[in-house]
Amino acid sequence: MNRTLRNLLAGDATVLAAELNRNDSRTALTCVAAIVVGCGIYGFTLGLWRDGLQSAFTAIKFPLVVLLTCAGNALLNGCLALGLGSGLGFRQTTLAILMSFAIAAILLAAFAPVMLFLLWNTPPLENARSTTGHSVTLLAHVALIAWAGLTGNQRLLRLVREVSGSDRTSWFVLASWLGGNLLLGSQLTWIFRPFIGSPNLPVQFLRDDPFEGNFFESVHRSLSLLIN
């Protein structure tokens, strides 16, 4: 197994802090590869409820959204890390966040069979209850992706604490990164929709109106449908 992958899975903050100070690009490339493969595998299960073509589209788009979120917030996250006294520079900040995304991607890939089991037991597109099946699928995936993200950020918190030597600083840094990544990532997710696909809309790589509405409105509608 690749040394960086082994270190990511072990989650030893001291070892990961040493990875941040390596002068080559192997760690970053390994993290990017883990994100592409892990999120690609999970993305395939994400779109499979709707159609095989949708699953292929989602396998491409899901890792793309993750990488664009990291790249889009690289400058902001670096400034926040420096301003809050974390001891991390711009390159180290980007690499640390890539590590957390890579951990989440590996976890998601591991849970892909579980989501296939859920898919097997969810009302399919042809069923009269396909709207309920869509809502159950959406919320299950949102919950699992959130859990994987929290686990990755738990490792990230340990890493920032190891570098900064301060619990208070590490919590402030992580909270600021999470806020920016959540806002950008959720909106990119909305722009790049569909991922699961809708029972009432055709299979598309992107919707005709990608900038109309937002991610949080969609989650609220799904929750309201299940509750009511």
Side-chain angles (χ1 to χ4, degrees):
M1 182 186 292
N2 179 281
R3 183 180 72 176
T4 299
L5 283 178
R6 186 168 60 249
N7 292 338
L8 287 174
L9 293 172
D12 188 317
T14 303
V15 175
L16 292 179
E19 290 274 359
L20 292 179
N21 295 317
R22 290 175 62 182
N23 293 322
D24 57 56
S25 59
R26 283 179 294 177
T27 301
L29 291 176
T30 299
C31 290
V32 170
I35 291 169
V36 170
V37 174
C39 289
I41 291 172
Y42 188 79
F44 185 83
T45 70
L46 191 61
L48 199 56
W49 177 84
R50 179 61 179 83
D51 187 84
L53 181 59
Q54 184 65 63
S55 67
F57 287 160
T58 306
I60 296 170
K61 293 191 292 182
F62 190 35
L64 183 60
V65 166
V66 173
L67 293 174
L68 285 176
T69 299
C70 186
N73 274 346
L75 181 60
L76 172 62
N77 289 334
C79 289
L80 289 169
L82 288 172
L84 292 171
S86 69
L88 295 169
F90 285 96
R91 184 188 67 82
Q92 292 171 313
T93 294
T94 301
L95 183 53
I97 294 174
L98 272 176
M99 286 179 176
S100 72
F101 281 143
I103 292 169
I106 293 168
L107 291 173
L108 288 173
F111 272 84
V114 176
M115 301 314 289
L116 287 174
F117 177 78
L118 174 66
L119 175 68
W120 182 262
N121 291 278
T122 300
L125 181 65
E126 301 80 11
N127 192 285
R129 300 180 62 193
S130 62
T131 303
T132 300
H134 177 265
S135 296
V136 169
T137 302
L138 172 63
L139 294 174
H141 281 294
V142 168
L144 184 56
I145 291 170
W147 171 79
L150 286 172
T151 303
N153 280 287
Q154 182 186 35
R155 301 292 177 87
L156 182 59
L157 176 64
R158 295 176 186 173
L159 176 57
V160 177
R161 184 186 293 128
E162 175 71 22
V163 175
S164 67
S166 168
D167 284 340
R168 184 172 180 273
T169 297
S170 59
W171 276 107
F172 274 122
V173 170
L174 182 65
S176 66
W177 287 350
L178 281 175
N181 290 339
L182 176 63
L183 289 174
L184 178 60
S186 59
Q187 193 56 33
L188 284 174
T189 299
W190 181 255
I191 292 170
F192 277 87
R193 73 191 192 281
F195 288 86
I196 296 174
S198 172
N200 303 315
L201 295 173
V203 174
Q204 295 174 291
F205 189 80
L206 294 176
R207 292 289 183 227
D208 297 329
D209 54 349
F211 297 102
E212 182 177 336
N214 61 65
F215 170 80
F216 300 102
E217 289 179 359
S218 177
V219 173
H220 180 264
R221 283 196 300 269
S222 295
L223 280 171
S224 299
L225 178 65
L226 289 180
I227 293 172
N228 300 327

